[in-house]
Amino acid sequence: MKILICMSNVPDTTTKVRFKDGNTVFDTTGVQWIINPWDELALTRALQLKEEPGSGIEKVTVITVGLADVEPTIRKALAIGADDAIRVNSQATDAYDVARQIAEAIRSEGYDLIMCGIESSDYNNSMVGGMISEFLDIPSVSSVSSVTVENGRFKVKREIDGGKETLSVTAPFVAIVQKGIALEPRIPSMRGIMMARTKPLKVVEPVAPEVLVEHIRYELPPAKAKCRMVAEDNVRELVQLLHTEAKII
Amino acid sequence: MSVLVYTENWDGKFKKLSYELVSYAHAIAGMLDTETVAVSVGDVSDTELTALGKYGASRVLSVQDARLSQLVNQAYASVLYQAAIRENAQVVVMANNFTGKAVAPRLSVKLKAGVGAGVAGLPLSVEPFTIHKKAFNGKAFATIVIKSPVRILTLLQNSFGVKETGGVAAIEEFLPDLAEHDFRTSVEEVSKITGKILLTDAEVVVSGGRGMKGPENWAPLEELARVLGAATACSRPVSDEGWRPHEEHTGQTGKIIAPNLYMAFGISGAIQHLAGVSSSKCIVAINKDPDAPIFEAADYGIVGDAMKVLPEMIAAVREMKGE
Ligand SMILES: Cc1cc2nc3c(=O)[nH]c(=O)nc-3n(C[C@H](O)[C@H](O)[C@H](O)COP(=O)(O)OP(=O)(O)OC[C@H]3O[C@@H](n4cnc5c(N)ncnc54)[C@H](O)[C@@H]3O)c2cc1C
Ligand SMILES: Nc1ncnc2c1ncn2[C@@H]1O[C@H](COP(=O)(O)O)[C@@H](O)[C@H]1O
């Protein structure tokens, strides 16, 4: 069996977000790029599954839709342990287009499990994974916190509003993963970094783009008013303020 | 033409979120000069269904199919797709919750409809269809244009509010055509969280961080939550350490919430934590370090020891509520 990890290249989580060209473009000056944290955990889980004796998983591939400048991030995924990688040579702007590009690039490759993160930390859409499943007409399970494999069948746990469920799913399917899928992301070893240089990275050309959503402008949130400080020995005053001034309790 | 809104139910009951979604859909229907049609799946009483009219739905399509008692993403997307076609929907509104995130992307592909995911307010214009959404984990907002003739919006809970317009919704049975092919996942085991206010529903949230020092110190925090009718939450290290259950973890890698009031005890306010709570209407911080970054995000603050402040806070709230 084969696992595909959809990987988004995102600014480091502590990046100070700035925009340029009249707030129409994200300013990438000085930005450190990382594997979207969820995708890093998905990759970690996929590698764990592959190492499990008898899991039947032979290969873990990562795919990214992006231009050549995302390749360092792809190499990092290879260094962590992915066997090979695909880059669809297109600027990722719209979730629908990204999902379509991925679906078209892998339609005939026969992946049994496709893993996506629940959300990319730049566009915060929570969309790409579910869209890929629909383009491929295969099942999807979202908010997945655990994936295991037994006798060639996948068991997944997902969170729903107010509870958790265990599901049994027949491959191929898409798992959209969240917290719990793996505890700590795996980090590249020295040997992994050496090996990553020679692992296959296939570049495929995109199908004609179909963009449904355009980002036309960005704004920073309005500056917050100064925090109103209350003395430690005057907790009652704070409760009064919340009642009379903020009117929330 | 119509604005379609999916109203999820919990054991046959709607909750505030459902009414908020209908109110929101109705406001958009007003901008488009069209009607609001709700879709409900499962066993919901007629009284509950007609009550959606109070918030602006003129009709409710009621879908009964035993196979839909579990959330099967593909089947649910198919139901909403058929409803959208039947009602000639220009906009489909859903919640930005687990269900919305599971179903909206599949529906988007079926309808070839662009998605505004995690929107917080009404469109700035409907021609072109322009709307604000959260981006970069709450560090910015993006203005997006959805270019497709049909659009899907997933609304952030608690961001629009419930607006009563008065009215009664007509109930229509709706029998979508579902194939075996739509049901390829099956739930084998369910564990429900009961008797607790859900973090994602709560209007008030009381949260603790590593500054609480250990799980044994959570009793006063839970007591404060009880007197306030609040849910409890925590920072990531707290759930990683196993001091609190994982469901309580808020932040970029946990739950993203927007209650009216978020009270942080012993939380430093790291950027990844704030990513999950910064949309709260009011943030109160109690931290012994006057330079803790949480005070930059907070509206009210006390520099002090959480262990000392908590009992006094409980007493003061009790007194205010006349308990
Ligand atoms: C990729 C990534 C994702 C992450 N995602 C999340 C996330 O989703 N959610 C999250 O929370 N974190 C997340 N983190 C971790 C985050 O960076 C912080 O490490 C974490 O939020 C700190 O938790 P804390 O505030 O409880 O602990 P600390 O940073 O240790 O802060 C404890 C605070 O308590 C105060 N304190 C100590 N004693 C007392 C006392 N007696 N009374 C009052 N105050 C006291 C201290 O002054 C301090 O400010 C993530 C990190 C990374 C790298
Ligand atoms: N450009 C991309 N290339 C490959 N996968 C992506 C890309 N963008 C998003 N994804 C995947 O989709 C998930 C959710 O992203 P989003 O829908 O943008 O919130 C991510 O965690 C990735 O798994």
Side-chain angles (χ1 to χ4, degrees):
Chain A
M1 292 196 287
K2 298 196 288 181
I3 302 182
L4 180 75
I5 308 293
C6 301
M7 189 180 84
S8 173
N9 173 56
V10 297
D12 180 78
T13 27
T14 52
T15 303
K16 199 163 162 46
V17 173
R18 274 170 298 147
F19 302 98
K20 58 178 189 185
D21 299 350
N23 282 337
T24 58
V25 180
F26 174 57
D27 185 351
T28 56
T29 327
V31 169
Q32 290 261 21
W33 296 90
I34 59 167
I35 305 175
N36 189 39
W38 298 118
D39 309 347
E40 201 175 20
L41 291 173
L43 174 60
T44 302
R45 183 60 194 150
L47 295 172
Q48 289 168 353
L49 287 174
K50 187 184 150 197
E51 285 154 15
E52 246 171 48
S55 70
I57 289 153
E58 292 126 30
K59 193 162 101 161
V60 176
T61 303
V62 295
I63 188 167
T64 299
V65 179
L67 300 179
D69 56 358
V70 306
E71 288 197 1
T73 311
I74 300 181
R75 289 281 169 211
K76 183 171 173 207
L78 292 170
I80 292 172
D83 297 295
D84 60 356
I86 305 168
R87 178 170 71 81
V88 182
N89 189 27
S90 164
Q91 177 86 33
T93 54
D94 171 37
Y96 182 90
D97 190 55
V98 166
R100 205 172 128 265
Q101 297 296 349
I102 292 175
E104 293 312 325
I106 57 120
R107 194 177 281 283
S108 55
E109 300 284 325
Y111 289 99
D112 299 277
L113 168 60
I114 299 174
M115 292 169 101
C116 285
I118 191 160
E119 173 170 305
S120 60
S121 48
D122 43 5
Y123 292 116
N124 304 145
N125 280 323
S126 300
M127 285 297 141
V128 170
M131 287 173 169
I132 293 173
S133 67
E134 188 63 37
F135 278 118
L136 296 174
D137 192 23
I138 59 177
S140 57
V141 189
S142 356
S143 310
V144 168
S145 58
S146 149
V147 176
T148 52
V149 56
E150 268 169 48
N151 309 322
R153 252 189 105 71
F154 287 95
K155 266 212 167 48
V156 298
K157 282 200 174 68
R158 73 166 170 201
E159 192 167 351
I160 49 163
D161 211 358
K164 278 194 192 127
E165 294 178 341
T166 309
L167 292 91
S168 142
V169 204
T170 318
F173 74 105
V174 178
I176 297 135
V177 308
Q178 58 148 354
K179 180 178 163 106
I181 188 70
L183 283 181
E184 286 290 330
R186 212 174 258 199
I187 48 170
S189 64
M190 215 41 224
R191 188 161 162 266
I193 295 170
M194 300 296 290
M195 280 166 58
R197 295 196 195 133
T198 53
K199 284 182 178 172
L201 194 172
K202 185 166 93 181
V203 179
V204 297
E205 286 310 314
V207 293
E210 245 174 20
V211 170
L212 303 185
V213 175
E214 254 169 31
H215 285 66
I216 54 167
R217 203 167 47 243
Y218 296 93
E219 260 161 59
L220 296 175
K224 194 118 190 166
K226 237 182 132 60
C227 180
R228 180 152 173 185
M229 302 307 290
V230 177
E232 185 185 12
D233 54 9
N234 208 355
V235 179
R236 186 173 279 120
E237 182 193 331
L238 174 60
V239 171
Q240 280 307 322
L241 283 170
L242 293 177
H243 181 58
T244 54
E245 188 181 271
K247 298 194 171 51
I248 40 179
I249 60 173
Chain B
M1 297 287 192
S2 70
V3 172
L4 200 70
V5 50
Y6 172 59
T7 47
E8 185 174 355
N9 68 79
W10 289 262
D11 299 321
K13 295 269 178 273
F14 293 130
K15 50 189 187 189
K16 195 180 147 203
L17 168 64
S18 327
Y19 305 136
E20 181 178 28
L21 289 168
V22 178
S23 306
Y24 180 71
H26 185 60
I28 295 178
M31 295 174 77
L32 290 164
D33 199 16
T34 183
E35 70 167 328
T36 309
V37 180
V39 180
S40 164
V41 175
D43 227 346
V44 182
S45 73
D46 287 1
T47 337
E48 282 277 306
L49 292 176
T50 47
L52 293 179
K54 242 194 267 177
Y55 310 96
S58 54
R59 289 180 292 128
V60 190
L61 308 186
S62 170
V63 182
Q64 310 274 348
D65 185 327
R67 294 173 297 176
L68 295 170
S69 62
Q70 309 176 338
L71 173 64
V72 183
N73 301 355
Q74 201 161 11
Y76 270 67
S78 185
V79 169
L80 290 173
Y81 170 72
Q82 292 175 51
I85 297 296
R86 171 180 140 140
E87 297 300 332
N88 196 3
Q90 291 163 280
V91 178
V92 182
V93 172
M94 307 186 67
N96 186 54
N97 63 0
F98 291 116
T99 313
K101 288 179 187 174
V103 180
R106 299 203 74 127
L107 183 63
S108 157
V109 173
K110 283 183 188 290
L111 287 168
K112 206 172 184 189
V115 186
V119 297
L122 289 173
L124 309 173
S125 90
V126 288
E127 201 50 62
F129 200 93
T130 312
I131 195 160
H132 271 305
K133 75 174 288 275
K134 184 182 87 144
F136 296 97
N137 296 326
K139 286 191 257 181
F141 291 95
T143 305
I144 59 169
V145 171
I146 308 180
K147 301 193 297 181
S148 49
V150 186
R151 307 90 178 176
I152 300 172
L153 303 176
T154 66
L155 181 71
L156 289 178
Q157 186 157 354
N158 248 327
S159 67
F160 186 72
V162 173
K163 303 198 166 61
E164 283 199 33
T165 52
V168 174
I171 305 171
E172 289 175 22
E173 298 294 321
F174 177 48
L175 273 172
D177 190 9
L178 297 173
E180 264 327 295
H181 178 76
D182 292 322
F183 297 89
R184 283 178 287 174
T185 58
S186 67
V187 175
E188 300 192 327
E189 208 183 298
V190 184
S191 68
K192 286 235 154 104
I193 305 167
T194 47
K196 264 178 91 173
I197 299 173
L198 287 182
L199 187 51
T200 41
D201 280 344
E203 304 203 352
V204 179
V205 172
V206 178
S207 186
R210 200 142 53 180
M212 293 290 293
K213 301 290 194 291
E216 66 281 6
N217 294 327
W218 246 265
L221 209 139
E222 291 193 296
E223 176 61 8
L224 177 63
R226 201 193 57 75
V227 296
L228 283 170
T232 46
C234 67
S235 67
R236 177 163 116 174
V238 166
S239 69
D240 282 352
E241 293 285 341
W243 298 357
R244 300 294 298 171
H246 284 297
E247 297 81 55
E248 289 197 359
H249 158 198
T250 48
Q252 184 192 319
T253 49
K255 294 233 158 56
I256 295 171
I257 54 171
N260 290 333
L261 173 60
Y262 182 77
M263 298 181 110
F265 290 87
I267 294 178
S268 60
I271 193 145
Q272 297 92 350
H273 185 79
L274 295 177
V277 302
S278 59
S279 305
S280 308
K281 305 240 161 58
C282 177
I283 296 179
V284 172
I286 288 83
N287 195 304
K288 68 173 191 196
D289 173 8
D291 295 323
I294 188 81
F295 289 120
E296 277 157 45
D299 300 279
Y300 297 95
I302 292 181
V303 175
D305 182 351
M307 288 306 133
K308 286 207 196 103
V309 171
L310 271 167
E312 287 177 38
M313 183 94 79
I314 296 165
V317 173
R318 278 220 176 98
E319 188 178 305
M320 195 194 77
K321 299 212 163 178
E323 253 188 49

